[in-house]
Amino acid sequence: MRKLLIGAVVSTLALLFATPAQAATIRPVTGFGSNPGALQMFEYVPDGLPSGRPAVVVLHGCTQDAAVYARGSGWVGLADKLRFKLVLPQQVSANNFNKCFNWFQAGDIKRGSGEAESIAQMARFSAGSRTYVTGLSAGGAMTSVMLAAYPDLFSGGGVVAGLPYACATSMIDAYSCMNPGKDLTPKQWGDKVRAASTGSRSPVSVWHGTADYTVAPMNLRELSEQWTDVGAAVDTHAVTGMGHGQPIAPGSGCGQAGPYLLDVGVCAAAELAAKWRLGEDGVQ
């Protein structure tokens, strides 16, 4: 685990966000599949984007919507600069009153069913040369779901303030996972992923604030143990003093501060984009 220092990323962020935003808009998409989880789909495609560019599935947290999180986290600015598309699933209150993805419901976390299958259909519909998945809080927990159930779809994932796959099987159980958290052995965590699907596992980045009292910081360790046990390359990022939310750096052009979008001078989205080399494939 490494502690992030603000000064180490400022110059990188300045370069990443130097280009002004393009004229593209976040737009709704229909007809992407059978949508068994009854989710909404939005997409952000920078103007003039060449075919075959990478795609990132971005999963919002509770009480948020797709557009607020995509812009506030910095992903829209990065898509403009580095030339890739965003796939933006959105929860609806009919599924969950607080608009949380249902990462704790058995019918929504299995391959081929519920919300997980809806998100997979969106990813397939907008597939790029490489597709990644990331999300915050409930969206981070759903990122774990997608990596566990659909390893064939994703080249990597970023879990921000999230939870291990199959940590809970009910809403009541979900609160125990969030805080104080569950301490299982690496094999116990890994067995849950192996039961979800087979196949090689892509790299996973795990981000968490050390002062997160909503989703206990111990979940960073449990996530690391789960994915390491199934053979994924894992890197962890403990953001010192940060509460529950997405690390952003508006002063360097990354994101817009708001509820669960925390200005800590560190941009998780930019670091993920760099790790995933989203500016490559011949386009800078």
Side-chain angles (χ1 to χ4, degrees), residues 8 12 23 25 37 44 70 94 110 121 130 160 166 168 173 179 191 235 252 266 272 275:
T12 300
T25 60
Y44 183 77
K110 294 179 180 178
Q121 289 176 2
R130 295 172 282 131
V160 183
D173 197 22
N179 200 330
D191 284 346
D235 58 274
S252 299
V266 174
L272 288 170
K275 177 181 175 62

Side-chain angles (χ1 to χ4, degrees), residues 71-116:
R71 295 189 184 281
S73 60
W75 278 111
V76 168
L78 285 162
D80 284 333
K81 172 63 180 176
L82 300 179
R83 311 295 288 157
F84 59 88
K85 70 175 69 173
L86 301 178
V87 180
L88 306 171
Q90 181 167 288
Q91 184 58 287
V92 297
S93 57
N95 291 341
N96 185 292
F97 180 76
N98 289 319
K99 296 184 69 177
C100 309
F101 291 106
N102 286 312
W103 57 271
F104 47 83
Q105 299 284 13
D108 286 308
I109 68 172
K110 294 179 180 178
R111 186 181 180 98
S113 69
E115 292 177 14

Side-chain angles (χ1 to χ4, degrees), residues 9-246:
V9 297
V10 170
S11 60
T12 300
L13 289 172
L15 290 173
L16 282 174
F17 293 99
T19 301
Q22 303 298 308
T25 60
I26 293 173
R27 63 181 184 88
V29 178
T30 58
F32 57 84
S34 60
N35 192 18
L39 301 177
Q40 295 176 326
M41 178 182 176
F42 294 83
E43 189 178 57
Y44 183 77
V45 182
D47 288 346
L49 188 74
S51 61
R53 295 296 296 140
V56 180
V57 177
V58 176
L59 299 167
H60 65 79
C62 298
T63 73
Q64 296 176 321
D65 63 33
V68 166
Y69 179 58
R71 295 189 184 281
S73 60
W75 278 111
V76 168
L78 285 162
D80 284 333
K81 172 63 180 176
L82 300 179
R83 311 295 288 157
F84 59 88
K85 70 175 69 173
L86 301 178
V87 180
L88 306 171
Q90 181 167 288
Q91 184 58 287
V92 297
S93 57
N95 291 341
N96 185 292
F97 180 76
N98 289 319
K99 296 184 69 177
C100 309
F101 291 106
N102 286 312
W103 57 271
F104 47 83
Q105 299 284 13
D108 286 308
I109 68 172
K110 294 179 180 178
R111 186 181 180 98
S113 69
E115 292 177 14
E117 177 60 20
S118 290
I119 295 168
Q121 289 176 2
M122 297 178 202
R124 295 188 190 103
F125 185 82
S126 294
S129 57
R130 295 172 282 131
T131 302
Y132 300 86
V133 60
T134 185
L136 166 67
S137 191
M142 207 65 184
T143 296
S144 293
V145 170
M146 301 313 296
L147 292 171
Y150 297 90
D152 49 312
L153 283 183
F154 302 105
S155 298
V159 180
V160 183
L163 299 110
Y165 173 69
C167 184
T169 55
S170 70
M171 184 175 292
I172 293 175
D173 197 22
Y175 286 108
S176 296
C177 287
M178 292 166 62
N179 200 330
K182 291 186 178 180
D183 185 7
L184 303 185
T185 68
K187 184 179 184 302
Q188 286 174 318
W189 284 126
D191 284 346
K192 293 176 182 292
V193 173
R194 283 183 284 270
S197 66
T198 59
S200 60
R201 305 293 169 175
S202 297
V204 182
S205 296
V206 184
W207 292 73
H208 219 106
T210 63
D212 188 337
Y213 302 115
T214 300
V215 177
M218 73 170 286
N219 283 290
L220 181 147
R221 181 190 70 219
E222 303 304 300
L223 276 159
S224 178
E225 290 178 352
Q226 180 171 65
W227 291 106
T228 299
D229 189 70
V230 297
V234 179
D235 58 274
T236 60
H237 309 256
V239 185
T240 302
M242 188 180 78
H244 185 64
Q246 177 88 14

